Amino acid sequence: MTNDVIIVGAGPVGLFLACELALAGVQPVVLDRLPERSGEQKANGLVGQVLRLLDHRGLHQPLSGLPGAPQPVPRFVFGAFPLELHRLDANPLHAVPVPQHRIEEVLEERALELGVTVRRGCEVSGFTQDATGVTVDFHGPDGTGQARARYLVGADGGRSTVRKLAGIDFPGVTSPDPVSRIAHVRLPEGLRTTASGEVLLPGCPTPFRPYTHTRTDHGVFVISPFNEDAVMIATMEWGGLPVDQRAPLTLDELRASIRRVTGADLELTPARTAGPFTPRRTVGHNTRLAERYRDGRVLLVGDAAHVHAATGGPGLNLGLQDAANLAWKLAAELQGWAPPGLLDSYHRERHPIGERVFMHSQAQIALMAPGAGTTALRALVGELLSHEDNLARIAALMAGSDVRYDTDCPHPWAGGFAPELALTTAEGDLRLAELARGGRALLLDLTGGALGLADRAAGWKDRVDVVTAECAEPPAGALLLRPDGYVAWASGVGEADPTGLERTLRTWFGTPRA
């Protein structure tokens, strides 16, 4: 039996890719080497544009526990600079604190609801590809086996077996600094806070703002008091003594690091709340980007395609949007309606976004390092961030809302992620995100049908939904959304002729059916 797609890796990116493919009418098989979901504490939340994408799929509420649309956060951090985002008239940055094990749980539940097969305990050992598909060798619970698929996707992390077997180069930068230590702990009772909520550590004159990075003369300190039974503490240090990476991080080691970075001697005890709060040490930073995201019938997504410092939490924003970009294009190829070059546009669109995260993650590490030169540079960057236009630019960088895919449409919304709109439709009042739940392309007519868009798009009705709606302050006369939420085409308000619509439909959705 030949499957449509085999996805290697059942982390958040692999599971989300499986969900997106299933929505598009493709039934993938997911292989993962672990016998069950990992409880290891990795990502602590979701940051950026990805929350709006997840809202388009109805996943924002189960992940955040909050109803309605994602809301921007009033503050964030960039290179240990506090970003006072509440100063912005249009704040693009969203964030939700949710542990990775919960993200994986929600996505696996959704994948299984959609009929996705997840096979655990299956470790890929090799593959061969030919003109019609890929044959994958693996070791499973019942011994060695093979599986066949038309395409293979590596979502198997930074040490990706799929990437290595495909011979795809992974160039980048590796540094022994900084050494990062993180754990969820209980702190001693009686720690004082300032009127503004900053934490005062004993013996340290510097107050520390929670949930952000604070640079000292000797490193970086982070305190995130999610609750009194599980406070997340993290440090970063440069130029220290060699570390035995084989030895697990102990609370005594973390306590000594806190003392060196802040000057405070802080008694730590294990977190009392049940959960995966294993202390973790990371030595140095590894920033790498695959030279190509596709090799024939083999593709890469997420950390298999790029690794970088975790500062600012860009990883899942980048990886999950890789998955959304790839899924509909791969489904189009499998279903036979993809226009020429559509699948290759996955690398063309996403590789530059990986390069951008490559750049800003290294810049943030450099801005946190100790030294007089860095201190002088920070004084200059601090001045720049006091201006709202620069603050807005950094906020958009961290959110990924500055992404603009190439399009020949001159409308300002074209190429960017769809705006949040409140609409009145024949089915009642809906948000635009609620119209995108099915993962299909959407042609949104905000002219009340005056342009006859349904007739113009009739040849693509098997691939594109047409919805007529009213909007109090429409940003356009009509919007054509790709399945990944990005605007492929838009017309101006009051525009009499939807110039370029048919050309754009052909570009992204192939030849119309008679």
Side-chain angles (χ1 to χ4, degrees):
M1 176 183 176
T2 299
N3 303 286
D4 285 334
V5 181
I6 291 175
I7 300 168
V8 180
V13 174
L15 290 169
F16 186 61
L17 174 62
C19 292
E20 291 290 280
L21 287 169
L23 282 176
V26 173
Q27 289 300 311
V29 173
V30 181
L31 304 181
D32 194 89
R33 64 180 181 82
L34 297 178
E36 58 186 17
R37 278 199 308 269
S38 171
E40 184 180 352
Q41 185 77 1
K42 296 179 181 178
N44 288 297
L46 292 160
V47 177
Q49 193 91 295
V50 69
L51 282 162
R52 299 197 53 226
L53 169 63
L54 293 170
D55 185 33
H56 276 219
R57 298 298 184 262
L59 290 165
H60 170 253
Q61 184 167 345
L63 286 167
S64 69
L66 301 172
Q71 297 300 310
V73 290
R75 294 179 178 85
F76 202 66
V77 63
F78 175 83
F81 283 97
L83 300 178
E84 301 295 343
L85 302 177
H86 55 86
R87 294 168 45 203
L88 299 177
D89 292 333
N91 176 5
L93 188 60
H94 304 83
V96 167
V98 55
Q100 180 162 324
H101 68 88
R102 174 59 181 163
I103 299 171
E104 292 182 6
E105 180 183 16
V106 169
L107 291 176
E108 184 166 359
E109 288 175 356
R110 178 61 59 87
L112 295 176
E113 289 172 2
L114 292 168
V116 173
T117 298
V118 179
R119 299 179 62 183
R120 295 193 175 275
C122 296
E123 185 168 4
V124 171
S125 57
F127 67 78
T128 57
Q129 61 170 313
D130 53 42
T132 60
V134 185
T135 300
V136 178
D137 302 313
F138 64 89
H139 302 288
D142 301 320
T144 60
Q146 283 190 333
R148 176 81 174 168
R150 294 172 66 188
Y151 286 91
L152 171 67
V153 181
D156 50 341
R159 296 182 175 88
S160 171
T161 297
V162 172
R163 185 190 65 243
K164 293 172 183 176
L165 290 172
I168 297 175
D169 287 343
F170 203 40
V173 177
T174 299
S175 170
D177 284 321
V179 176
S180 301
R181 298 173 175 89
I182 184 170
H184 289 75
V185 299
R186 289 177 62 207
L187 298 178
E189 296 181 0
L191 284 184
R192 295 182 299 121
T193 58
T194 66
S196 59
E198 295 174 311
V199 178
L200 296 169
L201 302 185
C204 178
T206 303
F208 295 94
R209 175 181 288 179
Y211 308 105
T212 191
H213 295 68
T214 302
R215 178 179 179 264
T216 73
D217 291 338
H218 306 286
V220 173
F221 179 72
V222 183
I223 179 168
S224 300
F226 295 112
N227 64 68
E228 64 181 15
D229 292 329
V231 178
M232 191 190 81
I233 296 288
T235 62
M236 298 171 68
E237 294 184 83
W238 281 255
L241 295 174
V243 175
D244 183 359
Q245 298 185 49
R246 297 168 297 178
L249 174 66
T250 65
L251 293 188
D252 285 342
E253 180 185 335
L254 178 60
R255 181 179 183 180
S257 179
I258 294 170
R259 189 184 308 118
R260 290 191 295 269
V261 171
T262 70
D265 190 9
L266 203 57
E267 184 178 344
L268 307 176
T269 53
R272 190 160 52 191
T273 304
F277 303 123
T278 305
R280 186 170 77 251
R281 179 199 310 109
T282 303
V283 178
H285 70 91
N286 190 23
T287 307
R288 298 188 175 276
L289 183 66
E291 90 175 330
R292 62 190 188 279
Y293 287 9
R294 181 186 180 190
D295 180 74
R297 290 180 173 269
V298 179
L299 299 114
L300 304 176
V301 291
D303 288 355
H306 38 69
V307 294
H308 45 77
T311 304
L316 288 176
N317 191 19
L318 182 60
L320 292 173
Q321 291 200 79
D322 286 347
N325 187 289
L326 173 60
W328 72 275
K329 297 172 180 178
L330 188 53
E333 193 73 25
L334 288 163
Q335 292 163 356
W337 57 260
L342 181 67
L343 190 53
D344 286 330
S345 74
Y346 166 61
H347 170 90
R348 189 168 60 250
E349 290 187 336
R350 295 306 297 172
H351 193 268
I353 313 305
E355 289 179 324
R356 195 153 176 78
V357 174
F358 189 109
M359 174 271 291
H360 78 66
S361 61
Q362 289 189 90
Q364 290 187 76
I365 292 293
L367 283 168
M368 292 188 287
T374 304
T375 299
L377 178 61
R378 289 181 64 84
L380 175 60
V381 173
E383 286 185 16
L384 294 174
L385 288 175
S386 68
H387 296 274
E388 289 187 11
D389 54 346
N390 293 326
L391 177 62
R393 185 162 186 168
I394 292 296
L397 174 69
M398 296 301 290
S401 61
D402 57 350
V403 171
R404 288 292 184 275
Y405 295 137
D406 286 341
T407 174
D408 59 3
C409 177
H411 194 280
W413 278 108
F417 199 83
E420 174 62 37
L421 297 176
L423 305 169
T424 300
T425 72
E427 284 71 41
D429 293 339
L430 295 170
R431 294 187 297 117
L432 175 56
E434 293 172 306
L435 294 175
R437 296 290 193 254
R440 284 167 54 85
L442 174 66
L443 179 55
L444 181 63
D445 183 351
L446 299 175
T447 70
L451 299 181
L453 297 182
D455 292 336
R456 293 171 183 263
W460 291 271
K461 64 182 179 182
D462 59 323
R463 286 152 274 173
V464 180
D465 292 334
V466 181
V467 175
T468 299
E470 295 180 359
C471 180
E473 296 182 8
L479 296 169
L480 175 61
L481 273 58
R482 307 185 331 182
D484 58 359
Y486 283 81
V487 178
W489 169 89
S491 71
V493 177
E495 188 174 303
D497 178 36
T499 305
L501 173 59
E502 183 176 341
R503 181 175 64 252
T504 304
L505 286 166
R506 288 179 178 272
T507 297
W508 293 109
F509 305 109
T511 304
R513 300 193 191 278

